């Protein structure tokens, strides 16, 4: 699942996977097809080459026998025919035959011919090794001679496994060497009557020499098998096992044709190729590890696999850099967009080039600039709106107090209290001078306390017998800024809705303290009639969710509080404003919370 999410979340990975698949699949397909075709072709070529080696070995054997069998021409020699036909011979006649043997040897260089012999039906004969001899063995008892008697035009080629004492009619044996004998009839020239036999003894080692010059693979070998299934020369034990396994698996076509197949001794495959000698009828079998025969195909396969893998790696690297160059600007743009979405409007893209991604980056920069401009205009409008609302609230507060104060001045003037009127007018003048504050919205707490004191003097003159006040704000707090005309509405509320309805003298206390070195709290406390729990809950609800207007009767005792509360929240935020606590019949405490900020804004 993580892999799927990664693939679906990254454009670069998508492009890399897409490009890799689109390039590696054709490469792998071409590689597999090329491998199959080349492997088959080269394997067939290697097998055909092995077959040609076997055929070449067969032809060499055929040529060797054909060359050796030229000696059979001696059977037509008049001296030989006379020697075999007559019952007696002369020394000169025998010497002439032997000289003819030597002449043929000198002419054709028969290095592998060990002996040439002639013998008639009566055991009289002549050979290179013994000269004229009389055999003690009846030649007609020799099965090979019997066969030739029945088929006088046949030439027999007797391998060592089929040789017997009858083959050595001169009585000479070859204890250290294996012999291949060529036997043919000697016939009268006119009547073609068989009068004897010619025997040519060959050293069988020439077959091994031919094998040694004909290699199959690196460690392979050839074996020559006679008509009886026996090897012409013996092999080592391990090679004999392979030879017997190959013979056991030879198809029927091996009798006359040639082919190849694979055997599996002990799990390792061996390649077997076979053919037959047309002259001798012997089977020529070549054996080699299959890995050696197809070694060239294996090298081609490795080369193809290496080439495909190298091509895939090269393609992936190319795609990696291409996708990096393609997706890097997109990733940068994505990062800048996230910063912008988090509120950082200074994030900008530096477009490079003239492509679509560069145009997108330029469009993003233009969009951010327009957003900044719109936000700037929105903030300016909000500030103007807040100031307009503040002016409206102040306009609502000042007339409210002015009406009450003027009523008091009228009452005092009617009562003839001129001195009190003068003091009241002076206090009112001081009060409005501080209220106007040259049009500024901010004053220090010290100035706001002086403004509250002027207001309390005015109200004390009106309610001399029932009103007293105390100011208990530490000097270090009086330097903090505060909105103009914040305390006066709270004091007015305490007088008209707390102390005025109380029997006896009332006390208003203004105090202040710091909270967590971050907030300044100013409280206006009175010992008036207090507020019922129901009314207190209603007022708190209205402070949090104002929904009524100045003309609503339910605002009685709460309109000034709401104005101050809204002003504080407009300037400082939702966590600041007015808090209200009261115990009915005992006291009421109105608190304002403002941030502790020594920077005095003008």
């Amino acid at each position: 699942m993580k892999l799927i999410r990664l693939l679906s979340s990254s454009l670069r990975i998508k492009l890399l996977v897409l490009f890799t698949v689109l390039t590696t699949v054709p490469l792998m397909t071409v590689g597999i097809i090329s491998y199959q075709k080349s492997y088959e072709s080269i394997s067939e070529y290697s097998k055909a080459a092995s077959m040609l080696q076997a055929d070449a070995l067969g032809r060499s054997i055929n040529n060797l026998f054909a060359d050796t069998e030229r000696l059979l021409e001696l059977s037509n020699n008049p001296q030989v025919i006379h020697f075999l036909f007559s019952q007696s011979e002369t020394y000169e006649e025998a010497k002439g035959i032997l000289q003819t043997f030597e002449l043929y040897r000198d002419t054709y260089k028969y290095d592998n011919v060990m002996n040439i012999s002639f013998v008639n039906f009566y055991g009289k004969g002549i050979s290179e090794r013994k000269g004229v001899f009389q055999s003690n063995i009846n030649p007609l008892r020799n099965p090979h001679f019997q066969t030739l008697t029945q088929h006088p035009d046949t030439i027999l080629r007797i391998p060592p496994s089929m040789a017997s004492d009858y083959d050595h009619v001169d009585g000479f044996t070859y204890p250290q060497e294996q012999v291949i004998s060529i036997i043919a009839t000697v016939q009268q020239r006119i009547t073609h009557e068989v009068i004897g036999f010619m025997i040519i003894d060959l050293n069988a080692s020439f077959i091994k020499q031919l094998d040694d010059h004909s290699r199959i693979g690196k460690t392979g070998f050839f074996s020559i098998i006679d008509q009886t299934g026996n090897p012409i020369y013996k092999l080592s034990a391990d090679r004999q096992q392979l030879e017997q396994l190959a013979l056991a698996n030879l198809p029927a076509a091996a009798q006359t044709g040639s082919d190849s197949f694979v055997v599996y001794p002990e799990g390792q495959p061996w390649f077997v190729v076979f053919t037959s000698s047309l002259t001798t009828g012997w089977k020529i079998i070549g054996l080699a590890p299959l890995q050696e025969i197809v070694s060239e195909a294996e090298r081609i396969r490795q080369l193809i696999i290496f080439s495909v893998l190298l091509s895939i790696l090269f393609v992936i690297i190319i795609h990696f850099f291409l996708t990096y160059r393609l997706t890097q600007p997109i990733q940068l743009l994505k990062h800048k967009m996230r910063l912008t979405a988090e509120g950082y409007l200074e994030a900008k893209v530096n477009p490079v080039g003239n492509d679509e991604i560069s145009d997108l980056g330029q469009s993003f920069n233009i969009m951010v600039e327009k957003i900044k401009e719109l936000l700037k205009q929105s903030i300016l409008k909000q500030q103007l709106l807040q100031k307009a609302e503040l002016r409206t609230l102040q306009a609502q507060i000042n007339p409210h107090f002015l009406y009450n104060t003027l009523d008091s001045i009228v009452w005092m003037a009617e009562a003839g209290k001129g001195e009190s009127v003068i003091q009241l007018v002076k206090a009112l003048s001081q009060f409005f001078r501080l209220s106007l504050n040259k049009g500024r919205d901010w004053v220090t707490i010290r100035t706001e306390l002086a403004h509250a004191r002027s207001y309390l003097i005015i109200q004390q003159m009106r309610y001399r017998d029932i009103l007293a006040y105390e100011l208990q704000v530490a000097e270090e707090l009086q330097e903090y800024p505060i909105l103009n005309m914040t305390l006066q509405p709270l004091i007015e509320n305490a007088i008209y809705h707390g102390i005025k309805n109380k029997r006896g003298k009332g006390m208003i206390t203004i105090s202040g303290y710091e909270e967590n070195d971050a907030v300044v709290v100013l409280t206006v406390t009175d010992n008036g009639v207090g507020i019922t729990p129901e009314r207190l809950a209603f007022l708190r609800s209205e402070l949090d969710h104002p929904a009524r207007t100045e003309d609503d009767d339910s605002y009685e005792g709460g309109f000034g509080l709401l104005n101050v509360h809204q002003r504080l929240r407009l300037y400082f935020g939702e966590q600041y404003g007015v808090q209200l606590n009261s115990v009915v019949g005992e006291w009421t405490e109105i608190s304002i919370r403002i941030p502790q900020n020594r920077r005095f804004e003008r």
Side-chain angles (χ1 to χ4, degrees), residues 449 452-453 456-457 460 467-474 478 487 491 499 505-512 523-527:
L449 290 175
R453 186 182 293 109
L456 285 168
I457 290 172
Q460 193 177 44
L467 177 63
Y469 66 90
E470 290 183 359
L471 302 178
Q472 299 177 355
V473 180
Q478 295 185 18
L487 294 176
I491 298 171
I499 294 175
K505 193 169 186 176
M507 171 63 72
I508 294 177
T509 304
I510 301 174
S511 60
T523 62
V524 177
T525 307
D526 68 80
N527 59 351

Side-chain angles (χ1 to χ4, degrees), residues 551-567:
D551 298 329
D552 197 330
D553 294 338
S554 62
Y555 258 109
E556 182 180 356
F559 185 71
L561 296 179
L562 182 61
N563 283 341
V564 173
H565 184 66
Q566 289 180 339
R567 290 174 64 202

Side-chain angles (χ1 to χ4, degrees), residues 111-173:
D111 296 332
N112 296 312
V113 176
M114 301 172 65
N115 188 29
I116 302 173
S117 301
F118 288 95
V119 64
N120 62 14
F121 289 123
Y122 306 105
K124 175 187 175 181
I126 185 171
S127 69
E128 285 184 306
R129 291 179 178 259
K130 293 189 67 174
V132 178
F133 64 89
Q134 179 64 46
S135 175
N136 296 324
I137 302 173
N138 185 1
L140 294 178
R141 296 179 61 186
N142 188 314
H144 305 310
F145 292 167
Q146 293 176 7
T147 301
L148 289 174
T149 302
Q150 298 173 3
H151 305 281
D153 295 327
T154 302
I155 299 175
L156 298 182
R157 300 162 187 90
I158 311 302
S161 61
M162 297 177 62
S164 64
D165 292 338
Y166 291 108
D167 297 330
H168 308 296
V169 292
D170 59 356
F172 187 85
T173 59

Side-chain angles (χ1 to χ4, degrees), residues 10 75 90 114 176 183 332 370 377 499 512 528 580:
S10 175
S75 62
T90 64
M114 301 172 65
Q176 302 297 327
I183 305 176
L332 179 61
K370 288 186 177 180
Q377 294 177 6
I499 294 175
L580 189 61

Side-chain angles (χ1 to χ4, degrees), residues 182-402:
I182 301 175
I183 305 176
T185 59
V186 179
Q187 303 176 19
Q188 281 283 5
R189 302 180 68 178
I190 300 175
T191 64
H192 300 289
E193 178 186 0
V194 177
I195 60 174
F197 305 96
M198 182 178 181
I199 302 99
I200 303 173
D201 293 329
L202 301 177
N203 191 339
S205 63
F206 81 93
I207 301 294
K208 189 173 186 309
Q209 292 174 0
L210 290 176
D211 285 354
D212 291 341
H213 287 87
S214 301
R215 305 292 297 177
I216 176 171
K218 293 182 179 179
T219 60
F221 61 95
F222 280 100
S223 176
I224 312 298
I225 308 299
D226 62 23
Q227 299 92 323
T228 62
N230 294 311
I232 300 300
Y233 58 90
K234 292 185 178 180
L235 303 173
S236 60
D238 55 342
R239 289 191 174 186
Q240 284 181 12
Q241 292 179 356
L242 291 171
E243 182 184 63
Q244 292 302 319
L245 181 62
L247 287 173
N249 289 274
L250 280 179
Q255 302 300 324
T256 57
S258 59
D259 203 351
S260 63
F261 57 92
V262 179
V263 295
Y264 297 88
E266 299 179 357
Q268 181 182 2
W270 277 71
F271 176 73
V272 179
V273 61
F274 63 88
T275 187
S276 298
S277 171
L278 298 178
T279 302
T280 62
W282 298 343
K283 299 181 186 67
I284 301 166
I285 301 176
L287 298 98
L290 182 63
Q291 189 66 30
E292 294 180 6
I293 299 300
V294 298
S295 60
E296 189 66 27
E298 292 292 336
R299 284 193 290 270
I300 294 296
R301 181 186 68 174
Q302 294 174 1
L303 179 62
I304 291 174
I305 292 175
F306 177 76
S307 300
V308 170
L309 291 178
L310 187 63
S311 299
I312 291 174
L313 179 62
F314 178 75
V315 166
I316 290 176
I317 293 175
I318 293 297
H319 290 338
F320 181 82
F321 284 107
L322 286 178
T323 54
Y324 176 78
R325 293 294 299 272
L326 181 63
T327 59
Q328 184 187 24
I330 298 177
Q331 290 178 345
L332 179 61
L333 182 59
K334 175 183 175 183
H335 175 67
K336 298 297 184 180
M337 285 183 174
R338 283 183 175 177
L339 291 178
T340 304
E342 293 172 359
Y344 182 68
L345 298 181
E346 298 302 322
K348 289 187 178 181
V349 178
N350 295 324
V352 177
N354 298 313
D355 55 11
E356 291 83 355
I357 298 177
S358 176
D359 292 341
L360 187 60
Q362 293 176 354
S363 300
F364 170 77
N365 291 338
I366 295 173
M367 179 189 71
V368 171
E369 289 298 326
K370 288 186 177 180
I371 291 175
K372 288 169 62 177
E373 185 65 26
L374 290 173
L375 284 176
K376 183 177 179 180
Q377 294 177 6
S378 177
I379 292 172
L380 180 60
K381 289 180 181 178
Q382 187 66 26
Q383 290 175 346
L384 294 175
L385 180 60
Q386 288 179 350
K387 289 184 178 182
E389 290 178 349
L390 177 60
R391 301 299 183 207
T392 302
L393 291 174
Q394 287 178 331
Q396 291 173 343
I397 293 172
N398 291 336
H400 186 69
F401 166 72
L402 180 60

